[in-house]
Amino acid sequence: MRLKFSNRLKKNIIKFIQFLLVLIISIEILNYGVLRRILFAKYDVKKYENSQKDNKNKNKVMILVHGVYRNHDDLKKIGELYIKEGYEVISIQYPSTIDNIEEISRKYIEPVIKSIPKDKEKYFITHSMGTLVIREFLIKNKIENLKNVIFISPPTHGTYLADSFLAQAIKYGLGKAFFELSMKENSFANTLAAPNYKCKVFMGNKSNNYFYSMIIKGQDDGMVPVATAKIENCEYELINGDTHKSILVDKGVIYKTKEFIDKTKD
């Protein structure tokens, strides 16, 4: 008797086989530290300024901080809007496979922010694990002229991926910070104090990663559970149809960040 499979089931079987192959290969290469090198991004700071003479926003600085294993490119589209608006834009790229979140904040974020003149208005747009990095930084540091902080796709109470068998199997390659995104009650993500500054969360609700969504309970954006993304004291907006990454290039969302900033001016 010949078994018949639907096209959807066939695609899922193929994806599952691909998943197993990736898992096996990843475990095999850990002994050589290859995975950690693949995920590594060197520390780098890029600064952009609008040189227009009649720039009304020249006293404003937008700081961009990406998520785990990512780089400058993730928030590039968002940065371009603020450069056009006349902001000084600072993009901080940091390695996320070596240090924990507190160390990332202290070693890579703190020196940059403290070098900005106190009289300049400071704004942050952060993504994924970068939201926790900046929350940690703002808990430990009092910043003059802090205006708004925007959190995109935040793992506010962690992600099930950090507690998964897959993550534990390739633990060495993923680094310390990733496991601070655990959903456990005493995890780093779950013990951060609530913000006491103007902030807003933007969260997508579409996954483009079938296997991650099998691990994550409930609706997710491919990395983070939707139900636990809200942050106490922050405004919240759910963006229909965006994934963990597509939300960063969604023109509607990019302009919504500016609308929030404009709305909450002193």
Side-chain angles (χ1 to χ4, degrees), residues 1-99:
M1 181 178 176
R2 188 174 180 180
L3 295 175
K4 294 183 178 180
F5 297 97
S6 68
N7 288 334
R8 184 176 179 180
L9 181 58
K10 287 178 182 178
K11 288 180 181 179
N12 289 340
I13 292 172
I14 291 170
K15 286 182 179 179
F16 183 66
I17 293 171
Q18 291 172 337
F19 169 76
L20 288 178
L21 288 173
V22 170
L23 175 60
I24 293 168
I25 293 169
S26 296
I27 293 173
E28 286 297 318
I29 65 178
L30 283 181
N31 290 331
Y32 305 97
V34 175
L35 182 59
R36 181 171 286 197
R37 288 197 293 272
I38 291 171
L39 299 176
F40 179 81
K42 70 175 183 178
Y43 179 49
D44 186 48
V45 179
K46 290 185 176 180
K47 297 182 180 182
Y48 308 89
E49 293 186 29
N50 186 317
S51 58
Q52 293 177 353
K53 291 182 179 180
D54 58 345
N55 182 4
K56 63 180 181 180
N57 290 325
K58 63 181 179 181
N59 198 48
K60 298 178 180 180
V61 183
M62 175 60 72
I63 300 104
L64 306 176
V65 181
H66 61 75
V68 67
Y69 315 134
R70 304 307 302 170
N71 54 46
H72 289 301
D73 291 343
D74 271 22
L75 296 169
K76 185 177 179 181
K77 290 292 183 184
I78 295 174
E80 287 173 353
L81 170 65
Y82 287 93
I83 294 169
K84 289 178 182 177
E85 288 293 319
Y87 288 63
E88 177 184 354
V89 173
I90 300 176
S91 176
I92 305 174
Q93 177 178 289
Y94 60 91
S96 50
T97 57
I98 301 171
D99 303 301

Side-chain angles (χ1 to χ4, degrees), residues 221-240:
D221 69 349
M223 288 292 290
V224 175
V226 172
T228 59
K230 292 181 180 179
I231 301 175
E232 186 180 352
N233 299 335
C234 293
E235 292 187 27
Y236 175 85
E237 185 169 350
L238 184 66
I239 307 298
N240 285 313

Side-chain angles (χ1 to χ4, degrees), residues 114-258:
K114 290 192 172 180
S115 70
I116 301 171
K118 291 183 179 180
D119 65 321
K120 289 202 169 189
E121 296 180 3
K122 299 165 188 73
Y123 302 80
F124 290 86
I125 295 182
T126 66
H127 179 238
S128 195
M129 192 183 82
T131 65
L132 302 184
V133 172
I134 291 305
R135 285 180 63 192
E136 162 68 12
F137 170 75
L138 292 174
I139 289 168
K140 299 282 179 66
N141 297 274
K142 179 175 174 57
I143 303 301
E144 298 288 338
N145 280 313
L146 174 64
K147 296 299 180 180
N148 302 88
V149 182
I150 292 173
F151 302 114
I152 302 177
S153 311
T156 306
H157 296 286
T159 173
Y160 292 100
L161 297 176
D163 299 312
S164 68
F165 168 77
L166 171 61
Q168 294 300 322
I170 55 176
K171 187 172 184 177
Y172 175 77
L174 297 178
K176 294 182 286 187
F178 179 76
F179 292 95
E180 293 183 310
L181 308 185
S182 168
M183 296 288 289
K184 294 176 182 176
E185 188 176 346
N186 63 346
S187 72
F188 180 89
N190 278 303
T191 54
L192 278 176
N196 59 357
Y197 40 81
K198 294 175 185 176
C199 53
K200 182 166 183 175
V201 170
F202 290 97
M203 181 69 192
N205 65 356
K206 179 182 178 182
S207 174
N208 61 352
N209 193 310
Y210 176 80
F211 290 103
Y212 284 179
S213 293
M214 288 179 64
I215 296 170
I216 300 169
K217 297 177 183 178
Q219 190 176 31
D220 66 272
D221 69 349
M223 288 292 290
V224 175
V226 172
T228 59
K230 292 181 180 179
I231 301 175
E232 186 180 352
N233 299 335
C234 293
E235 292 187 27
Y236 175 85
E237 185 169 350
L238 184 66
I239 307 298
N240 285 313
D242 268 335
T243 68
H244 195 71
K245 281 202 66 179
S246 72
I247 196 170
L248 298 176
V249 294
D250 183 327
K251 290 182 179 179
V253 175
I254 293 172
Y255 280 99
K256 281 176 182 289
T257 66
K258 184 178 179 299

